[in-house]
Amino acid sequence: MIMSSDYYETLEINRHAPDAEIKRAYRRLALKFHPSCRETGSVERFSQLGEAYDVLSDPQKKATYDKFGEEGLKGGIPPEFGSSGAWSSKYEYHGNPDQTFRQFFGGDNPFADFFTNDAPLQFGGLQQVVVKTQDCHIERDLHLSLDDLFHGCTKKIKISRRVMNEDGCTSSIKDKILNIHVEPGWKEGTRVVFSKEGDQGPNSIPADIVFIVRQKSHPLFVRQQSDLIYKAQISLEMALTGFSVDVETLDGRLLTIPINDIVHPAYKKVVTGEGMPLSQNPSQRGHLIITFEVQFPEKLSAERKQLIKHALNFKF
C-alpha cells in the first residue's frame, strides 16, 4: 500500500516507539519548527507535526493507521474489517496545529514548561521569559516527647507526593522517607524545612514541607524554655522542719536534694545545670526548679492545736 506521508517519519521515530517517546519527539520538533521561531520555524512542517501527533497519540487512530495506513485512516475501514475493533470512521485532521500544540503543553502559554527562574531557553527569535511560581509551603506538626528533645533523635517520616514521570506530561504518586535529625534542646515551635519536597507539576515549583515541633506533655516535668519544673508534694511538718527530695532526671540519674529552708508558698529550690540542654550549646543546661505543694492536715484535735500554738509562740 502506498501512503502519501508517514507519521512516524514526520516525528522522526520508529514504528515501535512507545507513547512516552512519541510525546518527547513531538515536544522537541514542535518547539523547533514553531512558526514563532525565527531560525527554524516552518508553518508547513509545524502543521505536519500536529497531524502526526494527533494520530499517533490516540490509541484507536494509531491502531487504524498501523494496520491500514493513511488511506484506511482517512477513507474509512472496509466493512469486512469492522469487527477488528479498530477505529472505523473517516479521520480528518482539524487543521489547527496551534490547537494541538496548546493542548499538549497546556494553558495559554505553551512555552511555560521550558523556562525556569534561572535559565530561560531561547527558540530562535522567541525569547519569552516565564517565571515559575512556587506552591505555598505545607506545614505539618512533629510531635516529640520531652525525652526526644532532651537526648536528640532521628525521626523517619513517610510522605506521599505527586512526581512527574519521564515523559514530562503525566505524573504519579510516590512515597518518600524524610529523615529529621532532632538536636538536643530543640524547643516547641522549632521549624524544620524540607525544600521543594511537595507535589511536582509541569508549570510550578514544588512547595516546601515544614515540620513544626510540638512537645508532648511529661508526667513529672513541665518545661519553661531551658528550665525543667518539678512539683514535690510535702507535708506541713516537712515544710517546717526540713527534708530531702528525690528526683529522677531524664538521663536516668537520681538526685537527692536536701531542703533545709522553711518552705513558704513562694519558695522554690533551684538546682543549676540540671535542666534541658541549650540548643546552641548542648553541653550546657538550664535549671531544675523544684516547687512545692504543702499538704495540710484536714483535722486537728484540741490538744494538737494547743501544741502547735505553743510551738509557734516560742521565742526563737
Side-chain angles (χ1 to χ4, degrees), residues 137-143 156-162 174-178 180 189-194 197-199 208-214:
H137 70 272
I138 302 167
E139 293 186 354
R140 294 187 180 181
D141 288 339
L142 177 64
H143 295 278
K156 296 182 180 295
I157 308 294
K158 184 172 77 170
I159 63 170
S160 297
R161 61 174 187 159
R162 186 169 296 280
K174 292 186 178 180
D175 293 336
K176 183 174 183 178
I177 301 297
L178 301 179
I180 301 178
T190 297
R191 299 167 71 88
V192 185
V193 180
F194 287 88
E197 290 290 356
D199 290 338
D208 295 340
I209 298 181
V210 181
F211 290 92
I212 303 175
V213 171
R214 303 300 181 194

Side-chain angles (χ1 to χ4, degrees), residues 88-147:
S88 59
S89 60
K90 294 181 180 181
Y91 168 72
E92 182 178 356
Y93 184 51
H94 50 67
N96 187 347
D98 282 323
Q99 176 182 326
T100 304
F101 188 73
R102 292 180 181 276
Q103 286 175 344
F104 179 87
F105 289 103
D108 293 332
N109 184 0
F111 290 94
D113 280 355
F114 299 90
F115 295 91
T116 66
N117 291 327
D118 301 321
L121 299 181
Q122 298 181 1
F123 303 98
L126 181 67
Q127 299 184 17
Q128 179 180 1
V129 177
V130 176
V131 178
K132 289 187 177 183
T133 58
Q134 185 174 21
D135 295 336
C136 183
H137 70 272
I138 302 167
E139 293 186 354
R140 294 187 180 181
D141 288 339
L142 177 64
H143 295 278
L144 298 173
S145 67
L146 194 58
D147 294 87

Side-chain angles (χ1 to χ4, degrees), residues 14-28:
N14 64 55
R15 301 185 68 85
H16 303 289
D19 184 62
E21 187 175 343
I22 294 172
K23 287 184 171 65
R24 285 195 295 268
Y26 176 74
R27 174 190 293 264
R28 176 177 58 85

Side-chain angles (χ1 to χ4, degrees), residues 23 34 44 77 137 206 300:
K23 287 184 171 65
H34 192 280
E44 181 180 0
I77 300 173
H137 70 272
L300 286 173

Side-chain angles (χ1 to χ4, degrees), residues 287-306:
H287 303 315
L288 170 64
I289 301 175
I290 304 175
T291 62
F292 300 91
E293 181 178 338
V294 179
Q295 303 292 322
F296 286 82
E298 294 182 1
K299 294 180 180 180
L300 286 173
S301 64
E303 181 181 358
R304 287 182 178 274
K305 290 179 180 180
Q306 191 63 36

